[in-house]
């Protein structure tokens, strides 16, 4: 089921399946979110929980027992219930159950709120641990934005510009997108810009750390842009389907990273996962701002 929130500046639609963003439109009807295409990438903006990206062999262990989980966890493929709603905001909820416990042995309550504030869409994720044991998880976002955003412009006219000069490092991945331990310096144009071109993603995602926590997708030839701010995420990823001239780019704030190559991770030992004590709540917020 689709739900709509709106204010004078934006209208946003969300699919209850995965609580996934379906549309971000300005008052004049301009669409900013990738609309999905099975021939390229059918997704639009999946939410990631309780793991980000891939596990080696699709497996991990916890206290000696082995579990299996697909890429990016499972929150993106389940129906979330509406917990509360207003004209300009909505909160979805999903909690652990018999099915989740088969692949993820922790009690949780997952909340995600979308709240409009002028031209901003605030995305707030809260994860409760109602259990008696410390829980471990990763989480993040994966929204795809249309590129170009205006007629007459091309994909290569756009760049991602960080708000402040940065000297990032690119996280090293194997060909099958696991960590290889070989992070490398990743210089930016003028220390702020990453120019887009389709073969940029021929080796899959570009994931950066030691980076500024706000960026803008824009072109010097146009006026429409998207600003993404992610103050509490240590890494940011960029992606579109490899070897495709896909008219979108994903901007992905990640709280954690995939597993190491050839290592079936022990969740109690994977240092970048969130470790949440019993009866506590983890909260993380980020923002999509439409610039006209």
């Amino acid at each position: 089921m689709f739900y709509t929130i709106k204010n004078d500046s934006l209208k946003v639609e969300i699919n209850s399946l995965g609580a996934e963003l379906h549309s971000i439109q300005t008052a004049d009807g301009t669409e900013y979110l990738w609309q999905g295409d099975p021939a390229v990438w059918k997704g639009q903006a999946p939410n990631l929980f309780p793991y980000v990206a891939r596990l080696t062999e699709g497996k991990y262990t916890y206290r000696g027992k082995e579990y299996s989980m697909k890429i990016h966890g499972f929150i993106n493929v389940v129906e979330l219930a509406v917990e509360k709603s207003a004209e300009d905001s909505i909160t979805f909820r999903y909690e652990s159950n018999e099915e989740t416990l088969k692949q993820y042995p922790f009690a949780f309550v997952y909340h995600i709120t979308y709240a409009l504030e002028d031209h901003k869409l605030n995305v707030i994720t809260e994860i409760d641990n109602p259990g008696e044991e410390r829980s471990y998880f990763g989480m993040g976002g994966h929204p795809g934005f249309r590129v170009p955003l205006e007629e007459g412009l091309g994909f290569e006219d756009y760049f991602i510009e960080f708000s402040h000069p940065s000297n990032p490092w690119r996280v090293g991945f194997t060909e099958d997108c696991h960590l290889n331990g070989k992070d490398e310096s990743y210089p930016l144009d003028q220390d702020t810009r990453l120019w887009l071109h389709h073969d940029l993603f021929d080796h899959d995602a570009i994931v950066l750390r030691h980076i500024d926590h706000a960026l803008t997708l824009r072109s010097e030839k146009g006026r429409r842009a998207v600003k993404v701010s992610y103050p509490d995420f240590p890494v940011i990823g960029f992606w579109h389907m490899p070897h495709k001239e896909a008219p979108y780019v994903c901007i992905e704030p990640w709280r954690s990273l995939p597993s190491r190559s050839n290592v079936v991770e022990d969740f109690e030992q994977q240092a970048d996962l969130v470790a949440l004590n019993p009866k506590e709540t983890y909260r993380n917020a980020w923002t999509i701002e439409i610039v006209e």
Side-chain angles (χ1 to χ4, degrees):
M1 185 175 292
F2 292 91
Y3 295 87
T4 300
I5 59 174
K6 60 184 178 179
N7 62 9
D8 291 339
S9 302
L10 296 174
K11 181 175 76 170
V12 174
E13 293 184 8
I14 306 104
N15 189 346
S16 58
L17 180 63
E20 182 173 359
L21 286 170
H22 177 66
S23 174
I24 303 173
Q25 292 187 7
T26 48
D28 64 1
T30 299
E31 180 65 64
Y32 281 75
L33 195 72
W34 163 246
Q35 289 300 287
D37 180 349
V40 182
W41 178 54
K42 67 179 181 179
Q44 292 185 268
N47 294 302
L48 316 180
F49 174 84
Y51 203 74
V52 172
R54 290 170 171 82
L55 289 157
T56 295
E57 300 177 6
K59 301 174 182 177
Y60 69 94
T61 64
Y62 173 68
R63 295 189 174 176
K65 185 175 179 179
E66 189 174 84
Y67 297 87
S68 295
M69 191 186 301
K70 293 182 179 180
I71 182 173
H72 293 319
F74 52 73
I75 206 69
N76 59 325
V77 295
V78 297
E79 285 281 344
L80 280 76
V82 174
E83 186 171 54
K84 58 183 178 180
S85 64
E87 184 178 35
D88 61 356
S89 66
I90 188 167
T91 299
F92 294 87
R93 173 190 174 103
Y94 188 80
E95 58 185 282
S96 52
N97 52 59
E98 288 184 4
E99 289 303 311
T100 67
L101 290 171
K102 293 176 183 177
Q103 56 184 308
Y104 180 67
F106 302 103
F108 68 87
V109 182
Y110 177 97
H111 314 258
I112 185 165
T113 298
Y114 296 99
L116 292 171
E117 179 187 350
D118 194 19
H119 282 80
K120 294 181 180 180
L121 174 62
N122 298 305
V123 184
I124 304 117
T125 304
E126 293 182 312
I127 299 161
D128 303 329
N129 179 0
E132 302 299 328
E133 303 283 345
R134 179 179 291 180
S135 63
Y136 301 87
F137 59 84
M139 54 81 63
H142 197 311
F145 298 99
R146 292 177 54 238
V147 183
L149 291 167
E150 299 172 63
E151 290 188 10
L153 298 183
F155 189 86
E156 292 78 10
D157 292 322
Y158 283 78
F159 53 87
I160 290 163
E161 185 170 52
F162 291 92
S163 296
H164 298 93
S166 299
N167 296 295
W169 284 72
R170 182 176 182 177
V171 177
F173 283 170
T174 60
E175 290 187 3
D176 57 355
C177 298
H178 297 283
L179 301 185
N180 64 12
K182 299 177 181 178
D183 294 4
E184 296 180 343
S185 178
Y186 195 80
L188 303 172
D189 182 23
Q190 303 176 45
D191 291 332
T192 57
R193 293 182 178 181
L194 172 61
W195 286 88
L196 297 183
H197 47 92
H198 290 298
D199 60 4
L200 190 65
F201 307 106
D202 281 356
H203 299 287
D204 218 277
I206 294 170
V207 179
L208 303 180
R209 61 164 107 226
H210 309 309
I211 197 70
D212 189 41
H213 289 271
L215 59 84
T216 302
L217 169 66
R218 71 180 188 92
S219 170
E220 291 180 333
K221 300 178 181 179
R223 64 183 179 86
R224 297 185 183 275
V226 178
K227 182 177 180 179
V228 180
S229 303
Y230 45 100
D232 295 321
F233 288 88
V235 295
I236 189 76
F238 308 106
W239 177 84
H240 78 33
M241 186 63 69
H243 309 292
K244 297 277 189 179
E245 293 192 1
Y248 69 91
V249 65
C250 290
I251 298 175
E252 306 178 36
W254 289 2
R255 175 57 181 80
S256 58
L257 290 166
S259 68
R260 292 168 291 172
S261 178
N262 298 317
V263 176
V264 175
E265 298 286 0
D266 178 345
F267 264 26
E268 288 187 291
Q269 300 300 317
Q270 187 173 335
D272 60 354
L273 295 180
V274 176
L276 184 61
N277 289 326
K279 316 306 179 186
E280 292 187 352
T281 297
Y282 171 82
R283 185 181 189 275
N284 203 325
W286 57 289
T287 301
I288 298 169
E289 181 179 358
I290 302 304
V291 181
E292 296 186 291

